[in-house]
Amino acid sequence: MTGTAMPMIETYPKPINLDRSRLAAAIDALTACAEACTACADACLSEDQVAGLTKCVRTNLDCADVCAATARVLSRHTGYDANVSRSLLEACVTVCKACGDECGRHIDMHEHCRICARSCRACGEACRDLLEAMG
Amino acid sequence: MTGTAMPMIETYPKPINLDRSRLAAAIDALTACAEACTACADACLSEDQVAGLTKCVRTNLDCADVCAATARVLSRHTGYDANVSRSLLEACVTVCKACGDECGRHIDMHEHCRICARSCRACGEACRDLLEAMG
Amino acid sequence: MTGTAMPMIETYPKPINLDRSRLAAAIDALTACAEACTACADACLSEDQVAGLTKCVRTNLDCADVCAATARVLSRHTGYDANVSRSLLEACVTVCKACGDECGRHIDMHEHCRICARSCRACGEACRDLLEAMG
Amino acid sequence: MTGTAMPMIETYPKPINLDRSRLAAAIDALTACAEACTACADACLSEDQVAGLTKCVRTNLDCADVCAATARVLSRHTGYDANVSRSLLEACVTVCKACGDECGRHIDMHEHCRICARSCRACGEACRDLLEAMG
């Protein structure tokens, strides 16, 4: 997959003190996860069994908000502060785990939850990869 | 390009009263534009000539905010309200034009502005295509 | 009510070509409306009759996203573009009307919808006031 | 100060396992901080010395994004997950410290940085208070 993050990273006019491949992979995964979670929350709302999916909707909304904010922060390199990136990536790992687990409970019944759970897991992994690369 | 929007659209459990291809194209273009604008704002901040790029930074931030909000709204189909989608798509067309024009002034000097301008134009076009399809 | 917008508006180092009182009132109303809509969406999710409130949840989420983006855009004055502000304010008027009407259907049963509907109406009014002042 | 969070918290139809006063104070502080940071980033852009304020702009943008996302997450009580709230509050404490410190360097020259630094410190404190109450 060629994402949208790397082409912009390559135009940044100053050095970037991070592994660019993992950084781009994390931004792309965060963006895709935020999009999947937003759509999954809405698909859950339209299921006949919505009453059994309210925790899923809520976790999806949280995950979308946190991943979107983190994608933005990671897209900035000016005045880089490793502590900020790290604390946000850790929050993302936590919320992606929560959302992946919650969606994971409904993968047999709801295809949107199956795709979303996969997206959350891929995102959590990309965030952990970047955290490791940050040392 | 295979974006992330269509797989989720296909799992929505109720009918969608919109051209799905144009809808997916708009969501993907909005997401890519928001990402490019966020990165372009930051790249401008790190240019030595930042004092001449402050309007560009501002317009990038606006465009990122409006495109991100619109991508979310278009990703929802429950209780669809055409007036809301239409008014937001029109706002996106306006802000993508403003940002594409502003970034377009710096494409000879800044590669990030060149990529971002192209992303804004593609996004504005995708929004207009969807507006047309909505009738 | 003393909001948080005016103190920051007063520190902006260049002229602002807008009625400052109406601008501050709009930003404060947009922020309050975004917050009320986010909370109302979640309160609806926890109602026993959530199946009858799914359109309300969706409209709340849209209204929160559009109002939050508009509050940000209006908080920026650098390189001001009246067309961008105007198109967004018009989108806000549309979505606040939609959300105020939807929440307005449930005010006898749900206090959160009553407060949220009031917040949407106040926000729509503040946006129209600012639009009028912009000419 | 009477904020906008408490009236909505009081209408939530199920129990909330958090100190409501501290929760409302945190949401209000996060919302106010996000607004101040958005405005401070723009005010910095319009200063003649913008070249010396680029790290301040960037940190402001990060702080606005993280505080806004956290305010949304804390405004939801359905299917509450303490780990998600905690990790986000910790990220907020980190970014509010970073932004308060960065704005704090310019308080003698820029009133917007003075107000914003105060807002960041108040927000960090409200987040720590809520974290303590969560145990």
Side-chain angles (χ1 to χ4, degrees):
Chain A
M1 188 189 77
T2 309
T4 56
M6 187 57 98
M8 289 302 291
I9 288 173
E10 283 172 347
T11 67
Y12 182 72
K14 296 267 159 53
I16 296 179
N17 292 319
L18 282 172
D19 179 313
R20 290 182 176 221
S21 297
R22 295 200 194 191
L23 177 61
I27 296 171
D28 288 334
L30 286 159
T31 305
C33 187
E35 164 61 21
C37 287
T38 300
C40 189
D42 182 70
C44 287
L45 278 182
S46 282
E47 294 289 351
D48 296 333
Q49 317 93 310
V50 59
L53 292 167
T54 56
K55 183 179 170 63
C56 196
V57 173
R58 187 260 158 101
T59 313
N60 273 318
L61 295 176
D62 282 3
C63 197
D65 286 335
V66 179
C67 288
T70 305
R72 287 177 163 222
V73 170
L74 293 183
S75 299
R76 300 177 185 126
H77 318 298
T78 305
Y80 172 67
D81 182 332
N83 290 328
V84 170
S85 295
R86 203 176 283 121
S87 68
L88 263 174
L89 285 166
E90 283 164 1
C92 272
V93 168
T94 301
V95 73
C96 285
K97 175 77 168 67
C99 195
D101 286 353
E102 187 58 35
C103 280
R105 296 173 170 212
H106 317 113
I107 55 176
D108 292 337
M109 288 177 47
H110 305 305
E111 180 70 4
H112 47 84
C113 286
R114 200 183 60 75
I115 296 179
C116 192
R118 198 173 52 196
S119 192
C120 290
R121 286 194 198 108
C123 185
E125 206 173 319
C127 290
R128 278 191 304 270
D129 283 352
L130 184 57
L131 274 169
E132 274 175 31
M134 292 171 68
Chain B
M1 188 190 75
T2 309
T4 56
M6 187 57 98
M8 288 304 291
I9 289 174
E10 284 172 347
T11 66
Y12 183 71
K14 297 266 159 51
I16 297 179
N17 292 319
L18 282 171
D19 179 314
R20 289 180 177 222
S21 297
R22 295 199 193 191
L23 177 60
I27 295 171
D28 287 335
L30 287 158
T31 305
C33 188
E35 164 60 22
C37 288
T38 300
C40 189
D42 182 71
C44 287
L45 279 183
S46 282
E47 294 288 353
D48 295 334
Q49 317 93 311
V50 59
L53 292 167
T54 56
K55 183 180 170 62
C56 196
V57 173
R58 187 261 158 98
T59 314
N60 273 319
L61 295 177
D62 282 3
C63 197
D65 285 336
V66 180
C67 288
T70 305
R72 286 177 165 224
V73 170
L74 293 182
S75 299
R76 299 178 187 126
H77 318 297
T78 305
Y80 173 66
D81 181 332
N83 290 329
V84 170
S85 294
R86 203 177 282 121
S87 68
L88 262 175
L89 284 165
E90 283 163 0
C92 272
V93 168
T94 300
V95 74
C96 284
K97 175 79 167 67
C99 194
D101 287 353
E102 187 58 35
C103 280
R105 297 172 170 214
H106 316 113
I107 55 176
D108 292 338
M109 287 175 50
H110 305 304
E111 179 71 4
H112 47 85
C113 287
R114 201 182 60 74
I115 296 179
C116 192
R118 198 172 53 196
S119 191
C120 290
R121 287 196 198 105
C123 185
E125 206 173 319
C127 290
R128 280 191 304 271
D129 283 352
L130 183 57
L131 273 168
E132 275 175 30
M134 291 172 67
Chain C
M1 188 190 75
T2 309
T4 57
M6 187 57 98
M8 288 304 290
I9 289 173
E10 283 172 348
T11 67
Y12 183 71
K14 297 266 159 53
I16 297 179
N17 292 320
L18 282 171
D19 179 313
R20 291 182 176 221
S21 297
R22 294 198 195 194
L23 177 59
I27 295 170
D28 287 334
L30 286 158
T31 305
C33 188
E35 164 60 20
C37 287
T38 300
C40 189
D42 181 71
C44 287
L45 278 183
S46 282
E47 293 289 352
D48 295 334
Q49 317 93 312
V50 58
L53 292 167
T54 56
K55 183 180 169 63
C56 196
V57 173
R58 187 261 158 98
T59 314
N60 273 318
L61 296 176
D62 282 4
C63 197
D65 285 336
V66 180
C67 288
T70 305
R72 285 177 165 223
V73 170
L74 294 182
S75 300
R76 299 177 186 126
H77 318 297
T78 305
Y80 173 67
D81 181 332
N83 290 329
V84 170
S85 294
R86 204 177 282 120
S87 68
L88 262 175
L89 284 165
E90 283 163 1
C92 273
V93 168
T94 301
V95 72
C96 284
K97 175 78 167 66
C99 194
D101 286 353
E102 187 59 34
C103 280
R105 295 173 171 213
H106 317 112
I107 55 176
D108 291 338
M109 287 175 50
H110 305 304
E111 180 71 4
H112 48 84
C113 287
R114 200 182 61 74
I115 296 179
C116 191
R118 197 173 54 195
S119 192
C120 289
R121 287 195 197 106
C123 185
E125 205 173 320
C127 290
R128 280 191 305 270
D129 283 352
L130 183 57
L131 274 168
E132 274 175 31
M134 291 170 67
Chain D
M1 187 189 77
T2 309
T4 56
M6 186 57 98
M8 289 303 290
I9 288 174
E10 283 172 346
T11 67
Y12 183 70
K14 296 267 159 51
I16 297 179
N17 292 318
L18 281 171
D19 179 314
R20 291 182 174 220
S21 298
R22 294 200 194 192
L23 177 61
I27 295 171
D28 287 334
L30 286 159
T31 305
C33 187
E35 163 61 21
C37 287
T38 299
C40 189
D42 181 71
C44 287
L45 279 182
S46 282
E47 293 289 351
D48 296 333
Q49 318 93 311
V50 60
L53 292 167
T54 55
K55 183 178 170 64
C56 197
V57 174
R58 186 262 158 98
T59 314
N60 273 318
L61 295 176
D62 282 3
C63 197
D65 286 336
V66 179
C67 288
T70 305
R72 285 177 165 223
V73 170
L74 293 182
S75 299
R76 299 177 186 127
H77 318 297
T78 305
Y80 173 66
D81 182 331
N83 290 329
V84 170
S85 294
R86 204 177 282 121
S87 68
L88 263 174
L89 284 166
E90 283 163 1
C92 273
V93 168
T94 300
V95 73
C96 285
K97 175 78 168 65
C99 195
D101 286 353
E102 187 58 35
C103 280
R105 295 172 171 215
H106 317 113
I107 56 176
D108 291 339
M109 288 176 49
H110 305 305
E111 180 70 5
H112 46 85
C113 286
R114 201 183 58 76
I115 296 179
C116 191
R118 198 173 52 195
S119 193
C120 291
R121 286 195 197 106
C123 185
E125 206 172 319
C127 289
R128 278 192 304 271
D129 283 352
L130 184 56
L131 273 169
E132 273 175 32
M134 291 171 66

